[in-house]
Amino acid sequence: MRLRKASALAASVLALSLAATACGSGDDEGGSEGGSGGGDSITIGIKFDQPGLGLQTPDGDYAGFDVDVATYIAGELGYEPDQIEFVESPSGDRESMLQRGDVDFIVATYSITEEREQQVSFAGPYFLAHQDLLVRAGETVSSPDEINELTLCSVAGSTSAQNVQNDFAPDAQLQEMGTYSECLTGLENGAVDALTTDDSILAGYASQEVNQGKFELAGLELSDEYYGVGIPKDDTELQQQINDAIQSMVDSGAWQEAVDANLGPAGYENEPAPEIEAAS
């Protein structure tokens, strides 16, 4: 199976990781004891259509904050960038992909929820985002009450879609699409009033060169979304290994470097790295 190279920033982040952990990163053949390490390659689920987070570029490479986090973790597990196979992980398929063993772990704006923890486990969290709305430039939504009057678009299987229906806007019309790119097209042509998902994802779309000046965030913090690394249910050994890798990325400064490089162009002000939960 053909392997893709990671983004340039991801490679540099990985280099920092390997330099910092050279004394304890395992043997020359790569991999780590236990968990998913130790093979010739590692398969990681990411998003392919989220600018600034997980994006497949026209030349077949991958770029974004989640890509950099995934690459750093893989490095701590003993894998070089060219040993990583990235696989697209749509929101509605993430649990089944982990359960079937299609991927070793998933780094794909994957919010930790009690419902999901019934089916899979999480390492982290590694990022805190807030649900918001993306609207056309010049339009405003000043309060959650106004959302009930809108036609919203989100991705099927996402916590954002569930939050709309269950929490803050049960009367809003909700269209669920397969990808956020489809929602963005609907927003641009007037088929929907707003795209709703995490502010980090929205900032990535708004900062794309082709979209600059077309859209803006409403600035509503509608929920707290803690992104975790999805892993097979009850794999506590892998969970601890990934937790250690995330902490190393934060402590080294590589985490903030990746945030600034990928989301900074949109003027996005991130929350500090969240406290990592103990493996259980």
Side-chain angles (χ1 to χ4, degrees):
M1 190 172 293
R2 185 181 179 188
L3 301 182
R4 302 287 195 181
K5 63 182 180 178
S7 66
L9 174 63
S12 66
V13 167
L14 179 57
L16 289 172
S17 164
L18 295 178
T21 59
C23 294
S25 59
D27 58 32
D28 292 336
E29 295 180 358
S32 58
E33 297 181 1
S36 61
D40 294 331
S41 66
I42 189 168
T43 305
I44 305 174
I46 61 170
K47 292 295 182 67
F48 278 16
D49 72 329
Q50 290 182 353
L53 291 157
L55 182 69
Q56 185 178 40
T57 63
D59 60 2
D61 290 343
Y62 300 95
F65 175 70
D66 279 352
V67 176
D68 293 340
V69 171
T71 303
Y72 193 103
I73 292 170
E76 294 293 286
L77 296 177
Y79 294 93
E80 299 290 341
D82 62 1
Q83 292 178 290
I84 301 171
E85 180 185 357
F86 287 120
V87 176
E88 185 173 19
S89 300
S91 294
D93 296 341
R94 290 175 295 199
E95 288 79 27
S96 60
M97 291 179 72
L98 287 167
Q99 291 167 344
R100 291 193 305 262
D102 297 341
V103 293
D104 293 299
F105 58 85
I106 292 177
V107 188
T109 58
Y110 202 177
S111 295
I112 301 172
T113 68
E114 292 183 1
E115 181 180 2
R116 289 170 176 165
E117 288 180 315
Q118 299 299 314
Q119 304 179 67
V120 301
S121 293
F122 289 94
Y126 66 91
F127 195 81
L128 172 59
H130 304 287
Q131 186 167 350
D132 199 357
L133 303 181
L134 189 70
V135 297
R136 289 177 288 271
E139 299 181 355
T140 60
V141 180
S142 58
S143 71
D145 290 340
E146 295 180 27
I147 302 174
N148 278 306
E149 303 174 3
L150 303 178
T151 299
L152 306 178
C153 187
S154 195
V155 167
S158 67
T159 54
S160 301
Q162 296 169 10
N163 290 342
V164 170
Q165 296 174 320
N166 300 333
D167 298 326
F168 58 80
D171 295 329
Q173 295 186 47
L174 177 65
Q175 295 186 15
E176 296 184 74
M177 299 293 187
T179 67
Y180 293 112
S181 296
E182 294 175 85
C183 285
L184 193 69
T185 299
L187 178 60
E188 185 170 12
N189 64 29
V192 298
D193 299 312
L195 190 170
T196 183
T197 187
D198 303 345
D199 53 7
S200 57
I201 299 172
L202 299 177
Y205 279 109
S207 66
Q208 282 189 298
E209 186 174 353
V210 295
N211 294 328
Q212 289 179 7
K214 293 182 180 179
F215 310 106
E216 55 190 51
L217 276 70
L220 303 173
E221 293 187 0
L222 299 170
S223 68
D224 292 335
E225 304 296 334
Y226 288 90
Y227 293 168
V229 177
I231 61 174
K233 182 69 173 173
D234 297 328
D235 190 340
T236 56
E237 186 173 5
L238 178 60
Q239 185 182 45
Q240 186 60 58
Q241 290 173 334
I242 294 177
N243 282 349
D244 291 344
I246 295 170
Q247 191 63 58
S248 173
M249 188 176 187
V250 173
D251 292 344
S252 70
W255 182 90
Q256 188 62 53
E257 178 186 347
V259 173
D260 293 342
N262 290 292
L263 300 176
Y268 181 75
E269 297 183 6
N270 65 282
E271 298 276 9
E275 182 177 352
I276 297 172
E277 297 179 2
S280 61

